Amino acid sequence: MRAAIALLGVLATAFVLSACGTGAGTNAPAGPPRPGGTLRYGLSLAPTCSDPAQSATNQTLYVTRQIVDSLTDQDPATGAIVPWLAQSWQVSPDARTFTFHLRPGVTFSDGTALTATSVRNTFDAIVHTLTGAKAPLAASYLAGYTGTSAPDPLTAQVSFDSPNAQFLQAVSTPQLGILADATTAKPADQRCGGDDIGSGPFSYAAYRQGASATLVKRAGYAWGSAVFAHRGAAYLDRIEFTVVPESGVRTGSLSSGQLDAVSDALPQDAPQIEASGGRVQVTSNPGVPFGIQPNLTRGPLRDPAVRAALLPAINRQELVDTVLGPQFKPAEGVLASKTPGYVDLSSHLRYAPDAARQLLDRAGWAPGGDGIRVKDGVRLSFGVLFSHAFAGNQAILELIQQQLRTVGIDIRLEPAADAEYTARQNSKDFDAVYYNITRADGDILRTNFGLGGQNLNVRGPIPELDDALSGELRTTDPAERAQLIGRAQQSVLGNGLWIPTIELSQAIGVSHAVSDVKFEASARLQFFDTWLHRG
């Protein structure tokens, strides 16, 4: 096992970070962008539900983001909220009412007009039809939603029963993208087959859940986000998404010209991609970095000393150097470094195995005959539930398993297919769970760690954390909100509710024939400005 991980490390060192773009990805050929052509994109995982509200994986969001517009957008460079379907908005002083003034002349791909009723029906359907099990992120953004009124056809007034300052950023996400009435009237399961109707620059031509998707450009599109580089319709005529699970096959298809861009370009793939004139574009995901979330009601993880010992027992830099490569970075806190409101807590995450041993010694966990610690007849052992949504998860956890054994902690790896993973998460049937979640707003802490959120820690009240999470929803002052989000990060780490490991990065391989494949603020792809050099 160690030899296999070490081999990945040798390959990772071949990846030179300076060869990676982090922004627009503009190629060398001169001249203005050329409209037309079909972009052939290779996904690393199969797309799931075609409904943006129900999209969960990055690979699915790469598809669904293109067919739906949002009320607002978020500038990936600054984090600022800017106009999109809403030309302007007002927020009430108590952050409970949000009034959006819609852009006139917007239509959905079925020809119907965008109105305030469309906004109401979109949000009502998430709360009343999809529910949290089908659309957990979208539902969390709408917690406390009491309804949307329409004073006139182009004014939507969205109300909540308590302050909800995160909502302006939430409505920039694809999960709260606005859909036509023909879609929002359907039951949840009937919104996954590619019939979803948005107002975005592309629409579905074909969708095979778990297999492929084809998008076509919308003629006459003229209401792009303020973040977009050009006005009018998208440049591409068509985008064809296929699923190519094997990294080597994706790279070979890109280098041979069978594909124009691919997901999850690995370090060892970079030389082949660059040799064919292509490049690797990289961006870090905002949100909660990968980490272990302990269930505080089960096994040894009920002991705060065990959770505290896990922090210095993990060598995060070794995870990056050995398993991933330099386009990734160790987690430095409870939020990823690109997240607005991020606080650097790396001083609490330094690798110090002797400190971990001392914490466990003082708490009465004594080494057993096999090296694993024991207290009151109970071994210091727990399971970690995880999925393969990120290809590096198993190798990372295998290395963590080795690191923790050196201080007397045993973890059992529990890989699960998506359906089992989701079911066990929802029923909180785990000792600990390993994952990350992407969002370009510190309110993701409320979603993950709040008593009214997922609360996968199965925790009771923690006053300093609960006060910070409720406080950040009440204030619209950016500085005050950032301070509260900072307090929440410190409390999450101090109470052992999250054991950070590494920050997720998106690395895509792009052909020499493609320019301006862009990452939006949440590190998902946006193809509106993308164009092809070939005819």
Side-chain angles (χ1 to χ4, degrees):
M1 184 73 68
R2 182 74 180 187
I5 295 175
L7 176 59
L8 279 172
V10 172
L11 293 169
T13 60
F15 193 11
V16 181
L17 186 59
S18 62
C20 303
T22 57
T26 302
N27 269 8
R34 305 175 185 176
T38 297
L39 180 80
R40 300 158 301 174
Y41 191 95
L43 298 166
S44 59
L45 289 174
T48 56
C49 182
S50 62
D51 176 13
Q54 298 183 67
S55 299
T57 68
N58 281 326
Q59 302 303 301
T60 305
L61 286 162
Y62 286 175
V63 180
T64 59
R65 171 75 279 182
Q66 318 312 317
I67 68 108
V68 67
D69 295 327
S70 300
L71 290 175
T72 65
D73 201 358
Q74 187 172 16
D75 189 318
T78 67
I81 303 301
V82 299
W84 196 345
L85 291 180
Q87 296 183 119
S88 62
W89 51 83
Q90 291 88 41
V91 181
S92 65
D94 62 1
R96 293 175 56 182
T97 303
F98 298 76
T99 303
F100 298 96
H101 303 284
L102 304 179
R103 186 190 301 264
V106 177
T107 61
F108 295 102
S109 58
D110 64 354
T112 58
L114 168 75
T115 67
T117 301
S118 316
V119 177
R120 181 183 65 208
N121 291 345
T122 295
F123 296 160
D124 283 0
I126 290 170
V127 172
H128 303 304
T129 304
L130 301 184
T131 71
K134 292 289 187 180
L137 263 185
S140 75
Y141 299 158
L142 288 166
Y145 173 78
T146 58
T148 300
S149 61
D152 62 64
L154 293 179
T155 303
Q157 194 170 78
V158 186
S159 299
F160 296 88
D161 62 12
S162 58
N164 196 15
Q166 60 86 37
F167 188 61
L168 273 185
Q169 192 278 335
V171 294
S172 74
T173 66
Q175 284 87 355
L176 294 191
I178 307 304
L179 294 162
D181 294 351
T183 297
T184 55
K186 292 181 178 179
D189 292 342
Q190 293 181 25
R191 292 173 55 164
C192 290
D195 297 325
D196 314 89
I197 299 166
S199 65
F202 295 91
S203 60
Y204 287 125
Y207 196 96
R208 293 176 57 213
Q209 187 171 354
S212 63
T214 301
L215 309 182
V216 293
K217 174 170 68 176
R218 285 199 59 201
Y221 182 87
W223 43 85
S225 155
V227 171
F228 294 171
H230 79 279
R231 306 274 75 88
Y235 292 128
L236 297 171
D237 287 336
R238 189 177 180 93
I239 307 174
E240 294 176 352
F241 294 93
T242 55
V243 182
V244 187
E246 302 82 7
S247 173
V249 177
R250 288 197 304 275
T251 300
S253 299
L254 181 67
S255 300
S256 65
Q258 297 175 67
L259 292 174
D260 300 304
V262 297
S263 291
D264 293 341
L266 299 179
Q268 60 265 35
D269 301 327
Q272 184 179 350
I273 292 171
E274 292 161 4
S276 64
R279 66 200 180 282
V280 177
Q281 290 180 216
V282 178
T283 194
S284 297
N285 285 49
V288 176
F290 270 108
I292 298 170
Q293 188 165 13
N295 182 339
L296 271 54
T297 67
R298 285 171 51 155
L301 289 170
R302 290 175 294 181
D303 187 342
V306 170
R307 304 197 301 273
L310 289 171
L311 295 176
I314 295 174
N315 187 339
R316 293 161 182 82
Q317 190 62 53
E318 186 181 27
L319 299 179
V320 170
D321 294 343
T322 304
V323 178
L324 297 172
Q327 77 270 38
F328 290 84
K329 62 182 294 185
E332 296 175 333
V334 176
L335 288 178
S337 54
K338 277 188 63 176
T339 317
Y342 152 81
V343 172
D344 183 348
L345 299 174
S346 56
S347 62
H348 302 280
L349 300 176
R350 294 193 182 108
Y351 179 51
D354 286 342
R357 294 185 186 100
Q358 291 169 13
L359 284 167
L360 294 171
D361 287 342
R362 288 198 296 267
W365 292 95
D370 62 354
I372 301 304
R373 293 173 180 265
V374 180
K375 179 179 180 180
D376 299 330
V378 176
R379 294 179 82 245
L380 211 177
S381 177
F382 59 88
V384 179
L385 173 69
F386 71 99
S387 78
H388 292 286
F390 173 55
N393 281 353
Q394 176 121 10
I396 288 168
L397 286 169
E398 287 171 352
L399 184 49
I400 290 174
Q401 186 179 49
Q402 294 173 20
Q403 293 174 352
L404 294 182
R405 283 193 71 87
T406 67
V407 301
I409 300 173
D410 172 56
I411 64 170
R412 304 180 306 276
L413 305 189
E414 300 178 353
D418 288 347
E420 179 191 355
Y421 175 80
T422 301
R424 289 184 61 184
Q425 251 203 359
N426 289 341
S427 64
K428 302 192 172 48
D429 177 22
F430 54 81
D431 297 332
V433 60
Y434 184 79
Y435 67 100
N436 85 302
I437 190 161
T438 296
R439 187 184 178 193
D441 191 277
D443 184 68
I444 195 66
L445 297 174
R446 178 186 60 87
T447 302
N448 274 35
F449 304 107
L451 285 174
Q454 286 187 302
N455 190 17
L456 296 179
N457 296 113
V458 200
R459 70 171 179 90
I462 302 175
E464 72 273 14
L465 176 57
D466 299 330
D467 290 347
L469 293 178
S470 61
E472 64 91 4
L473 283 180
R474 288 195 299 268
T475 179
T476 56
D477 177 74
E480 183 181 353
R481 190 162 181 260
Q483 185 180 46
L484 289 163
I485 289 170
R487 282 172 43 194
Q489 291 168 69
Q490 294 169 350
S491 182
V492 167
L493 197 67
N495 284 280
L497 305 184
W498 189 254
I499 314 301
T501 59
I502 59 102
E503 291 193 8
L504 178 64
S505 290
Q506 299 301 314
I508 62 168
V510 182
S511 158
H512 64 87
V514 182
S515 276
D516 292 331
V517 177
K518 296 183 177 180
F519 294 105
E520 44 102 272
S522 293
R524 277 73 184 243
L525 292 178
Q526 178 62 265
F527 292 105
F528 177 78
D529 291 313
T530 304
W531 59 283
L532 299 173
H533 305 155
R534 63 172 184 266

